[in-house]
Amino acid sequence: MCRLLAYLGEPRLLSEILAGPIHSLVVQSYQPKEMTSGVVNADGFGVGWYHAQRITTPFTYKNILPIWNDPNLPQIGRYVESGCVLANVRSATELHSVSLANCQPFTWENLTFIHNGFIHDFRHTLYRPLVNRLPAEIHRHLLGNTDSEHIFGLFLDCWQQVKSLHTALRMTLQELTEMARVANTSFSANIVVSDGHHLVASRYARAKDDRPPVVPSLYWRKKAGVTIASEPLEPEDPLWQAVPPQSLINLGAQLDLSISPL
């Protein structure tokens, strides 16, 4: 189970966003407090960001090292400023190898995507339905073998149909839920997607046999920008609020935030 972080607001240094807080994403990689499975997130990491002055295609930096052990990220973090950052520290699940191809974020044109969660027994449940569902152009774009990247592929196809991040993420989760119902399997999907201007996120899960699902943690805070994270970066700050389970966050370019049920 990974940990993720996203920020949208005034440009800030990557080092401030990723490593500055007392319970930063770096700390969450080796000392998480709310993971539903796994102990540490040491199977690689990735950061995606957009140019601070003009929104172009996203930049990414990834490594299969643990984020706390990467010698280059602190140097990059002191130089790069961005008003839109998405980052993920990875805890690999069974059969999903530790490789750069499997490190998030995943990108397509101007989109950046991160996922915290899993599809239970992915190779034997939803792998084939997802592969059969994806158009050839999108399937060719997938370089890794994770459930996360295949969910990204499904999102891309939905996005190409509607060109709305919010609507595409809702459609993605609806389709995943129906696939999981047919296969009688479970999944969790805390997802964040951005185009550099806007950001959408979900806190969502589906359990087998329609039992109450265990939904991974997700929080948000508005303070000189909006931050979304698996765990509060400053646990004592009362501005951090839990995202309700089974819900969708929509964050606009003017930082107008709304939460709707899924």
Side-chain angles (χ1 to χ4, degrees):
M1 189 70 70
C2 307
R3 299 285 82 181
L4 58 75
L5 177 151
Y7 169 79
L8 186 66
E10 290 298 314
R12 296 172 58 196
L13 289 170
L14 289 186
S15 59
E16 296 175 358
I17 297 171
L18 301 177
I22 188 171
H23 193 55
S24 68
L25 190 66
V26 174
V27 174
Q28 291 182 36
S29 68
Y30 61 81
Q31 198 172 47
K33 296 181 178 179
E34 300 188 42
M35 285 175 62
T36 56
S37 65
V39 178
V40 295
N41 299 282
D43 298 315
F45 72 94
V47 186
W49 70 91
Y50 294 81
H51 193 282
Q53 275 73 50
R54 64 185 189 277
I55 303 299
T56 59
T57 54
F59 301 90
T60 60
Y61 177 74
K62 303 180 183 182
N63 203 326
I64 60 173
L65 290 172
I67 192 172
W68 71 77
N69 206 28
D70 183 287
N72 298 312
L73 185 62
Q75 304 303 318
I76 297 171
R78 291 166 51 204
Y79 173 76
V80 173
E81 279 189 326
S82 178
C84 183
V85 177
L86 287 78
N88 176 281
V89 290
R90 184 171 181 239
S91 176
T93 52
E94 186 179 4
L95 301 180
H96 296 168
S97 60
V98 177
S99 70
L100 282 177
N102 286 337
C103 288
Q104 304 178 45
F106 304 119
T107 62
W108 171 287
E109 297 178 354
N110 66 328
L111 301 179
T112 307
F113 174 105
I114 52 178
H115 168 236
N116 167 39
F118 68 94
I119 296 173
H120 179 71
D121 201 15
F122 173 56
R123 281 301 198 186
H124 295 96
T125 56
L126 296 191
Y127 172 72
R128 182 56 60 185
L130 279 168
V131 169
N132 292 340
R133 166 68 178 77
L134 297 179
E137 177 195 15
I138 291 176
H139 187 253
R140 285 194 298 267
H141 181 75
L142 307 185
L143 301 178
N145 64 351
T146 63
D147 46 5
S148 298
E149 193 173 14
H150 285 77
I151 294 172
F152 177 48
L154 179 60
F155 171 84
L156 287 177
D157 186 59
C158 293
W159 177 78
Q160 288 182 336
Q161 295 176 49
V162 297
K163 298 297 183 180
S164 162
L165 296 180
H166 182 269
T167 304
L169 185 52
R170 184 177 289 274
M171 289 170 59
T172 300
L173 294 172
Q174 288 172 343
E175 285 206 45
L176 266 181
T177 299
E178 178 57 21
M179 288 181 182
R181 185 193 66 77
V182 171
N184 192 28
T185 193
S186 59
F187 73 90
S188 57
N190 283 12
I191 291 170
V192 185
V193 192
S194 182
D195 59 6
H197 296 283
H198 310 89
L199 187 150
V200 295
S202 62
R203 184 183 179 201
Y204 187 79
R206 192 260 181 198
K208 288 183 179 181
D209 304 317
D210 295 322
R211 290 173 294 183
V214 177
V215 188
S217 60
L218 194 68
Y219 297 82
W220 69 276
R221 185 189 69 172
K222 187 171 185 179
K223 183 178 181 181
V226 174
T227 303
I228 296 172
S230 296
E231 301 177 14
L233 306 183
E234 300 90 355
E236 303 304 320
D237 187 343
L239 291 178
W240 282 102
Q241 300 183 51
V243 177
Q246 316 298 64
S247 63
L248 193 65
I249 293 178
N250 191 27
L251 180 60
Q254 304 304 314
L255 302 186
D256 45 318
L257 184 147
S258 62
I259 300 178
S260 55
L262 283 165

